[in-house]
Amino acid sequence: MIEKILRDEFQLQEQQVRQVLTLIDAGNTIPFIARYRKEQTGNMDDQTLRRVADRLEQLRDLGARRAEVTRLIGEQGLMNPLLAAALAGATTRAELDDL
């Protein structure tokens, strides 16, 4: 899901996104990736890589928050199909918190 969002938002190829995520998750810095891993990223510049990395962090944080909100609502016994669909469709942290 995250890969698809990044592909769509940045108009990237599937392989580019996969390689960038792999490199970031391996602990490589953006300047390192931009300078020494151009062949793997399709010559993405450091600004694009930084925007992708920032958006990746936002999406992962949103996913973690979604799981937490879902767990808390479930523990209270208030979960229903409509609320579950609204949680799944929330695109911002504010939407999740409002639910």
Side-chain angles (χ1 to χ4, degrees):
M1 172 101 171
I2 289 177
E3 286 184 20
K4 182 180 179 345
I5 292 170
L6 292 173
R7 274 196 332 260
D8 293 345
E9 287 184 12
F10 295 97
Q11 289 87 40
L12 299 172
Q13 300 293 323
E14 184 176 341
Q15 186 62 24
Q16 281 179 296
V17 173
R18 198 171 293 132
Q19 287 295 333
V20 169
L21 296 183
T22 300
L23 290 165
I24 289 171
D25 289 343
N28 295 294
T29 64
I30 298 303
F32 176 84
I33 296 169
R35 181 172 290 170
Y36 299 111
R37 297 297 182 254
K38 288 182 182 210
E39 69 283 351
Q40 292 176 329
T41 64
N43 292 319
M44 290 173 65
D45 62 29
D46 60 334
Q47 292 174 343
T48 303
L49 286 166
R50 190 161 314 282
R51 288 193 341 257
V52 169
D54 290 345
R55 184 65 173 135
L56 173 63
E57 184 178 340
Q58 289 173 350
L59 291 170
R60 286 181 173 169
D61 288 346
L62 183 65
R65 182 64 182 155
R66 179 179 288 118
E68 178 68 12
V69 169
T70 301
R71 182 185 65 78
L72 292 172
I73 292 171
E75 286 177 357
Q76 296 173 12
L78 301 173
M79 186 62 72
N80 61 54
L82 183 61
L83 185 55
L87 287 170
T91 57
T92 65
R93 186 178 175 109
E95 285 181 64
L96 285 173
D97 290 342
D98 288 344
L99 293 170

